[in-house]
């Protein structure tokens, strides 16, 4: 069993017959897992007050997320970049337009429109300029226009809602690879530490040791 922080790690995938995301919710804090798996991380909006547009990641790529349910107990789940790409395509292919507050369909939002959707492709991505420098490559971003000045002032600009949360149906697949999926920054750090450990344990002369360390750094 592959683990992350000593807990089981699962990849979430979109079954062939499913659309993936079916709704987006505006939330004020991390959502509680439901039958359909509602997600919300504490990732705040980037606000454009003049245009009444909010931008934020809808889901992070290759980033383990803690979950707890009756079937699996405490565990982590992760979305790959490929899965997020499929979800983003299906989102428009299936013309998903449902917005609500706090994962409650009784509080639907009729004045919200997705005006932009993109996957972060590099560290020079436009999301960095919006303030999301540490979000991993492959993450799915959206920008939403709120076409109601009063709603904008009372619910967005006031800070009542702080981020997006997606709702959808997914399948959990237990990972069986030798290593769990981690974000690129963590992988690079692990590789550096492992290489440094190999060098320090070797029987190199001081001159060769210094040369190897200079090369590594």
């Amino acid at each position: 069993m592959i683990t992350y922080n000593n807990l089981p790690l699962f990849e979430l995938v979109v079954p062939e017959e499913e659309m993936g995301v079916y709704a987006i919710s505006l939330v004020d804090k991390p959502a509680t897992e439901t039958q359909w798996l509602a997600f919300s991380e504490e990732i705040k909006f980037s606000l454009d007050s003049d245009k009444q547009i909010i931008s934020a990641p809808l889901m992070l790529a290759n980033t383990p997320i803690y979950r707890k349910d009756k079937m699996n107990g405490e565990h982590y789940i992760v979305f790959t970049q490929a899965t997020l790409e499929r979800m983003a395509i299906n989102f428009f292919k299936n013309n998903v337009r449902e917005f609500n507050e706090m994962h409650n369909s009784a509080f639907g939002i009729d004045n919200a429109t997705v005006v932009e959707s993109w996957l972060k492709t590099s560290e020079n991505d436009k999301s960095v300029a919006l303030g999301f420098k540490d979000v991993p490559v492959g993450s799915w971003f959206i920008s939403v226009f709120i076409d109601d000045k009063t709603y904008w002032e009372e619910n967005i600009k006031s800070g009542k809602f702080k981020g997006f949360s997606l709702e959808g149906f997914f399948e959990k697949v237990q990972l069986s690879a030798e290593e769990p999926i981690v974000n690129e920054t963590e992988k690079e750090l692990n590789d550096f530490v492992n290489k440094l450990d190999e060098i320090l344990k070797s029987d190199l002369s001081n001159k060769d040791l210094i040369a190897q360390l200079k090369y590594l750094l």
Side-chain angles (χ1 to χ4, degrees), residues 9-29:
L9 180 65
F10 296 85
E11 179 186 350
L12 258 63
V13 299
V14 180
E16 288 297 328
E17 68 277 10
E18 298 293 339
M19 61 191 296
V21 178
Y22 66 79
I24 295 174
S25 185
L26 303 184
V27 295
D28 64 353
K29 60 183 179 180

PDB file of all heavy atoms in Angstrom, residues 9-29:
ATOM      1  N   LEU A   9      -2.804   6.499   0.213  1.00  0.00           N
ATOM      2  CA  LEU A   9      -2.909   7.525  -0.819  1.00  0.00           C
ATOM      3  C   LEU A   9      -3.688   6.972  -2.004  1.00  0.00           C
ATOM      4  O   LEU A   9      -3.367   5.903  -2.523  1.00  0.00           O
ATOM      5  CB  LEU A   9      -1.511   7.968  -1.270  1.00  0.00           C
ATOM      6  CG  LEU A   9      -1.447   9.035  -2.358  1.00  0.00           C
ATOM      7  CD1 LEU A   9      -2.018  10.354  -1.854  1.00  0.00           C
ATOM      8  CD2 LEU A   9      -0.007   9.247  -2.822  1.00  0.00           C
ATOM      9  N   PHE A  10      -4.719   7.697  -2.409  1.00  0.00           N
ATOM     10  CA  PHE A  10      -5.555   7.304  -3.533  1.00  0.00           C
ATOM     11  C   PHE A  10      -5.500   8.366  -4.629  1.00  0.00           C
ATOM     12  O   PHE A  10      -5.442   9.564  -4.331  1.00  0.00           O
ATOM     13  CB  PHE A  10      -7.021   7.141  -3.109  1.00  0.00           C
ATOM     14  CG  PHE A  10      -7.271   6.042  -2.127  1.00  0.00           C
ATOM     15  CD1 PHE A  10      -7.118   6.268  -0.761  1.00  0.00           C
ATOM     16  CD2 PHE A  10      -7.674   4.786  -2.554  1.00  0.00           C
ATOM     17  CE1 PHE A  10      -7.356   5.255   0.154  1.00  0.00           C
ATOM     18  CE2 PHE A  10      -7.919   3.766  -1.649  1.00  0.00           C
ATOM     19  CZ  PHE A  10      -7.754   4.002  -0.292  1.00  0.00           C
ATOM     20  N   GLU A  11      -5.530   7.919  -5.881  1.00  0.00           N
ATOM     21  CA  GLU A  11      -5.704   8.843  -6.996  1.00  0.00           C
ATOM     22  C   GLU A  11      -7.186   8.917  -7.324  1.00  0.00           C
ATOM     23  O   GLU A  11      -7.876   7.897  -7.350  1.00  0.00           O
ATOM     24  CB  GLU A  11      -4.932   8.377  -8.233  1.00  0.00           C
ATOM     25  CG  GLU A  11      -5.117   9.305  -9.430  1.00  0.00           C
ATOM     26  CD  GLU A  11      -4.465   8.779 -10.695  1.00  0.00           C
ATOM     27  OE1 GLU A  11      -3.714   7.784 -10.603  1.00  0.00           O
ATOM     28  OE2 GLU A  11      -4.727   9.347 -11.767  1.00  0.00           O
ATOM     29  N   LEU A  12      -7.697  10.116  -7.558  1.00  0.00           N
ATOM     30  CA  LEU A  12      -9.081  10.267  -7.971  1.00  0.00           C
ATOM     31  C   LEU A  12      -9.133  10.428  -9.483  1.00  0.00           C
ATOM     32  O   LEU A  12      -8.415  11.261 -10.052  1.00  0.00           O
ATOM     33  CB  LEU A  12      -9.734  11.473  -7.293  1.00  0.00           C
ATOM     34  CG  LEU A  12     -10.647  11.097  -6.110  1.00  0.00           C
ATOM     35  CD1 LEU A  12      -9.827  10.439  -5.020  1.00  0.00           C
ATOM     36  CD2 LEU A  12     -11.390  12.303  -5.572  1.00  0.00           C
ATOM     37  N   VAL A  13      -9.962   9.631 -10.133  1.00  0.00           N
ATOM     38  CA  VAL A  13     -10.108   9.660 -11.582  1.00  0.00           C
ATOM     39  C   VAL A  13     -11.579   9.836 -11.927  1.00  0.00           C
ATOM     40  O   VAL A  13     -12.469   9.596 -11.109  1.00  0.00           O
ATOM     41  CB  VAL A  13      -9.563   8.369 -12.235  1.00  0.00           C
ATOM     42  CG1 VAL A  13      -8.088   8.204 -11.950  1.00  0.00           C
ATOM     43  CG2 VAL A  13     -10.339   7.149 -11.729  1.00  0.00           C
ATOM     44  N   VAL A  14     -11.828  10.249 -13.167  1.00  0.00           N
ATOM     45  CA  VAL A  14     -13.196  10.419 -13.650  1.00  0.00           C
ATOM     46  C   VAL A  14     -13.596   9.162 -14.412  1.00  0.00           C
ATOM     47  O   VAL A  14     -12.999   8.854 -15.449  1.00  0.00           O
ATOM     48  CB  VAL A  14     -13.310  11.649 -14.577  1.00  0.00           C
ATOM     49  CG1 VAL A  14     -14.745  11.807 -15.069  1.00  0.00           C
ATOM     50  CG2 VAL A  14     -12.835  12.906 -13.855  1.00  0.00           C
ATOM     51  N   PRO A  15     -14.575   8.404 -13.936  1.00  0.00           N
ATOM     52  CA  PRO A  15     -15.030   7.212 -14.666  1.00  0.00           C
ATOM     53  C   PRO A  15     -15.487   7.584 -16.064  1.00  0.00           C
ATOM     54  O   PRO A  15     -15.957   8.705 -16.310  1.00  0.00           O
ATOM     55  CB  PRO A  15     -16.206   6.715 -13.814  1.00  0.00           C
ATOM     56  CG  PRO A  15     -15.941   7.256 -12.453  1.00  0.00           C
ATOM     57  CD  PRO A  15     -15.307   8.604 -12.675  1.00  0.00           C
ATOM     58  N   GLU A  16     -15.368   6.662 -17.001  1.00  0.00           N
ATOM     59  CA  GLU A  16     -15.679   6.922 -18.401  1.00  0.00           C
ATOM     60  C   GLU A  16     -17.087   7.480 -18.591  1.00  0.00           C
ATOM     61  O   GLU A  16     -17.326   8.325 -19.433  1.00  0.00           O
ATOM     62  CB  GLU A  16     -15.518   5.638 -19.230  1.00  0.00           C
ATOM     63  CG  GLU A  16     -14.075   5.207 -19.426  1.00  0.00           C
ATOM     64  CD  GLU A  16     -13.256   6.223 -20.216  1.00  0.00           C
ATOM     65  OE1 GLU A  16     -13.847   6.900 -21.088  1.00  0.00           O
ATOM     66  OE2 GLU A  16     -12.059   6.347 -19.956  1.00  0.00           O
ATOM     67  N   GLU A  17     -18.034   6.983 -17.802  1.00  0.00           N
ATOM     68  CA  GLU A  17     -19.419   7.383 -18.003  1.00  0.00           C
ATOM     69  C   GLU A  17     -19.794   8.658 -17.252  1.00  0.00           C
ATOM     70  O   GLU A  17     -20.922   9.131 -17.326  1.00  0.00           O
ATOM     71  CB  GLU A  17     -20.367   6.253 -17.563  1.00  0.00           C
ATOM     72  CG  GLU A  17     -20.383   5.969 -16.083  1.00  0.00           C
ATOM     73  CD  GLU A  17     -19.260   5.062 -15.608  1.00  0.00           C
ATOM     74  OE1 GLU A  17     -18.338   4.797 -16.416  1.00  0.00           O
ATOM     75  OE2 GLU A  17     -19.307   4.618 -14.445  1.00  0.00           O
ATOM     76  N   GLU A  18     -18.850   9.229 -16.506  1.00  0.00           N
ATOM     77  CA  GLU A  18     -19.143  10.408 -15.705  1.00  0.00           C
ATOM     78  C   GLU A  18     -18.555  11.675 -16.318  1.00  0.00           C
ATOM     79  O   GLU A  18     -17.595  11.636 -17.083  1.00  0.00           O
ATOM     80  CB  GLU A  18     -18.599  10.231 -14.283  1.00  0.00           C
ATOM     81  CG  GLU A  18     -19.225   9.076 -13.514  1.00  0.00           C
ATOM     82  CD  GLU A  18     -20.692   9.318 -13.202  1.00  0.00           C
ATOM     83  OE1 GLU A  18     -21.126  10.479 -13.208  1.00  0.00           O
ATOM     84  OE2 GLU A  18     -21.395   8.320 -12.948  1.00  0.00           O
ATOM     85  N   MET A  19     -19.113  12.821 -15.943  1.00  0.00           N
ATOM     86  CA  MET A  19     -18.667  14.116 -16.453  1.00  0.00           C
ATOM     87  C   MET A  19     -17.591  14.745 -15.579  1.00  0.00           C
ATOM     88  O   MET A  19     -16.914  15.668 -15.987  1.00  0.00           O
ATOM     89  CB  MET A  19     -19.853  15.076 -16.566  1.00  0.00           C
ATOM     90  CG  MET A  19     -20.539  15.372 -15.255  1.00  0.00           C
ATOM     91  SD  MET A  19     -22.127  16.237 -15.441  1.00  0.00           S
ATOM     92  CE  MET A  19     -21.596  17.770 -16.165  1.00  0.00           C
ATOM     93  N   GLY A  20     -17.450  14.249 -14.334  1.00  0.00           N
ATOM     94  CA  GLY A  20     -16.502  14.858 -13.416  1.00  0.00           C
ATOM     95  C   GLY A  20     -17.202  15.934 -12.601  1.00  0.00           C
ATOM     96  O   GLY A  20     -18.101  15.651 -11.819  1.00  0.00           O
ATOM     97  N   VAL A  21     -16.809  17.181 -12.793  1.00  0.00           N
ATOM     98  CA  VAL A  21     -17.407  18.290 -12.050  1.00  0.00           C
ATOM     99  C   VAL A  21     -18.811  18.578 -12.559  1.00  0.00           C
ATOM    100  O   VAL A  21     -19.038  18.666 -13.763  1.00  0.00           O
ATOM    101  CB  VAL A  21     -16.543  19.569 -12.184  1.00  0.00           C
ATOM    102  CG1 VAL A  21     -17.210  20.735 -11.453  1.00  0.00           C
ATOM    103  CG2 VAL A  21     -15.146  19.328 -11.633  1.00  0.00           C
ATOM    104  N   TYR A  22     -19.764  18.736 -11.640  1.00  0.00           N
ATOM    105  CA  TYR A  22     -21.111  19.093 -12.049  1.00  0.00           C
ATOM    106  C   TYR A  22     -21.573  20.414 -11.431  1.00  0.00           C
ATOM    107  O   TYR A  22     -22.623  20.950 -11.786  1.00  0.00           O
ATOM    108  CB  TYR A  22     -22.121  17.986 -11.720  1.00  0.00           C
ATOM    109  CG  TYR A  22     -22.335  17.727 -10.245  1.00  0.00           C
ATOM    110  CD1 TYR A  22     -23.157  18.549  -9.467  1.00  0.00           C
ATOM    111  CD2 TYR A  22     -21.736  16.645  -9.625  1.00  0.00           C
ATOM    112  CE1 TYR A  22     -23.360  18.308  -8.129  1.00  0.00           C
ATOM    113  CE2 TYR A  22     -21.941  16.388  -8.284  1.00  0.00           C
ATOM    114  CZ  TYR A  22     -22.752  17.225  -7.538  1.00  0.00           C
ATOM    115  OH  TYR A  22     -22.947  16.988  -6.196  1.00  0.00           O
ATOM    116  N   ALA A  23     -20.805  20.957 -10.488  1.00  0.00           N
ATOM    117  CA  ALA A  23     -21.177  22.233  -9.881  1.00  0.00           C
ATOM    118  C   ALA A  23     -19.969  22.865  -9.213  1.00  0.00           C
ATOM    119  O   ALA A  23     -18.993  22.180  -8.876  1.00  0.00           O
ATOM    120  CB  ALA A  23     -22.295  22.040  -8.865  1.00  0.00           C
ATOM    121  N   ILE A  24     -20.032  24.178  -9.020  1.00  0.00           N
ATOM    122  CA  ILE A  24     -19.000  24.919  -8.309  1.00  0.00           C
ATOM    123  C   ILE A  24     -19.673  25.697  -7.189  1.00  0.00           C
ATOM    124  O   ILE A  24     -20.732  26.298  -7.375  1.00  0.00           O
ATOM    125  CB  ILE A  24     -18.255  25.893  -9.245  1.00  0.00           C
ATOM    126  CG1 ILE A  24     -17.489  25.107 -10.307  1.00  0.00           C
ATOM    127  CG2 ILE A  24     -17.296  26.778  -8.449  1.00  0.00           C
ATOM    128  CD1 ILE A  24     -16.845  25.976 -11.358  1.00  0.00           C
ATOM    129  N   SER A  25     -19.061  25.657  -6.032  1.00  0.00           N
ATOM    130  CA  SER A  25     -19.632  26.339  -4.877  1.00  0.00           C
ATOM    131  C   SER A  25     -18.695  27.433  -4.379  1.00  0.00           C
ATOM    132  O   SER A  25     -17.468  27.308  -4.461  1.00  0.00           O
ATOM    133  CB  SER A  25     -19.885  25.331  -3.756  1.00  0.00           C
ATOM    134  OG  SER A  25     -20.543  25.936  -2.664  1.00  0.00           O
ATOM    135  N   LEU A  26     -19.280  28.518  -3.869  1.00  0.00           N
ATOM    136  CA  LEU A  26     -18.520  29.552  -3.183  1.00  0.00           C
ATOM    137  C   LEU A  26     -18.557  29.215  -1.703  1.00  0.00           C
ATOM    138  O   LEU A  26     -19.641  29.015  -1.134  1.00  0.00           O
ATOM    139  CB  LEU A  26     -19.133  30.930  -3.427  1.00  0.00           C
ATOM    140  CG  LEU A  26     -19.276  31.376  -4.880  1.00  0.00           C
ATOM    141  CD1 LEU A  26     -19.797  32.808  -4.932  1.00  0.00           C
ATOM    142  CD2 LEU A  26     -17.961  31.268  -5.621  1.00  0.00           C
ATOM    143  N   VAL A  27     -17.385  29.105  -1.079  1.00  0.00           N
ATOM    144  CA  VAL A  27     -17.320  28.632   0.300  1.00  0.00           C
ATOM    145  C   VAL A  27     -16.493  29.554   1.175  1.00  0.00           C
ATOM    146  O   VAL A  27     -15.669  30.328   0.694  1.00  0.00           O
ATOM    147  CB  VAL A  27     -16.728  27.209   0.363  1.00  0.00           C
ATOM    148  CG1 VAL A  27     -17.643  26.216  -0.335  1.00  0.00           C
ATOM    149  CG2 VAL A  27     -15.341  27.180  -0.270  1.00  0.00           C
ATOM    150  N   ASP A  28     -16.715  29.423   2.481  1.00  0.00           N
ATOM    151  CA  ASP A  28     -15.977  30.249   3.423  1.00  0.00           C
ATOM    152  C   ASP A  28     -14.925  29.466   4.181  1.00  0.00           C
ATOM    153  O   ASP A  28     -14.120  30.038   4.907  1.00  0.00           O
ATOM    154  CB  ASP A  28     -16.931  30.937   4.406  1.00  0.00           C
ATOM    155  CG  ASP A  28     -17.688  29.943   5.291  1.00  0.00           C
ATOM    156  OD1 ASP A  28     -17.562  28.729   5.053  1.00  0.00           O
ATOM    157  OD2 ASP A  28     -18.403  30.387   6.206  1.00  0.00           O
ATOM    158  N   LYS A  29     -14.934  28.120   4.039  1.00  0.00           N
ATOM    159  CA  LYS A  29     -13.955  27.282   4.728  1.00  0.00           C
ATOM    160  C   LYS A  29     -13.937  25.918   4.050  1.00  0.00           C
ATOM    161  O   LYS A  29     -14.811  25.606   3.244  1.00  0.00           O
ATOM    162  CB  LYS A  29     -14.320  27.151   6.210  1.00  0.00           C
ATOM    163  CG  LYS A  29     -15.681  26.533   6.455  1.00  0.00           C
ATOM    164  CD  LYS A  29     -16.013  26.504   7.940  1.00  0.00           C
ATOM    165  CE  LYS A  29     -17.390  25.912   8.180  1.00  0.00           C
ATOM    166  NZ  LYS A  29     -17.734  25.879   9.622  1.00  0.00           N
TER     167      LYS A  29
END
